[in-house]
mmCIF file of all heavy atoms in Angstrom:
data_model
loop_
_atom_site.group_PDB
_atom_site.id
_atom_site.type_symbol
_atom_site.label_atom_id
_atom_site.label_comp_id
_atom_site.label_asym_id
_atom_site.label_seq_id
_atom_site.Cartn_x
_atom_site.Cartn_y
_atom_site.Cartn_z
ATOM 1 N N LEU A 121 6.489 26.243 21.888
ATOM 2 C CA LEU A 121 6.840 25.380 20.767
ATOM 3 C C LEU A 121 8.289 25.602 20.359
ATOM 4 O O LEU A 121 9.025 24.648 20.096
ATOM 5 C CB LEU A 121 5.907 25.641 19.584
ATOM 6 C CG LEU A 121 6.185 24.820 18.314
ATOM 7 C CD1 LEU A 121 6.087 23.325 18.596
ATOM 8 C CD2 LEU A 121 5.229 25.225 17.190
ATOM 9 N N VAL A 154 25.261 -2.366 22.495
ATOM 10 C CA VAL A 154 24.675 -1.044 22.263
ATOM 11 C C VAL A 154 23.154 -1.013 22.385
ATOM 12 O O VAL A 154 22.586 0.011 22.787
ATOM 13 C CB VAL A 154 25.124 -0.519 20.874
ATOM 14 C CG1 VAL A 154 24.454 -1.286 19.744
ATOM 15 C CG2 VAL A 154 24.879 0.972 20.738
ATOM 16 N N VAL A 420 15.243 -8.203 -8.874
ATOM 17 C CA VAL A 420 16.667 -8.536 -8.712
ATOM 18 C C VAL A 420 16.832 -10.007 -8.313
ATOM 19 O O VAL A 420 17.785 -10.384 -7.632
ATOM 20 C CB VAL A 420 17.355 -7.606 -7.691
ATOM 21 C CG1 VAL A 420 17.415 -6.186 -8.220
ATOM 22 C CG2 VAL A 420 16.655 -7.637 -6.330
ATOM 23 N N LEU A 475 -1.936 -25.971 11.679
ATOM 24 C CA LEU A 475 -1.946 -25.577 10.276
ATOM 25 C C LEU A 475 -0.553 -25.573 9.652
ATOM 26 O O LEU A 475 -0.386 -25.187 8.497
ATOM 27 C CB LEU A 475 -2.578 -24.184 10.123
ATOM 28 C CG LEU A 475 -4.048 -24.056 10.509
ATOM 29 C CD1 LEU A 475 -4.514 -22.609 10.371
ATOM 30 C CD2 LEU A 475 -4.913 -24.976 9.650
#
Side-chain angles (χ1 to χ4, degrees):
L121 179 59
V154 71
V420 293
L475 296 177

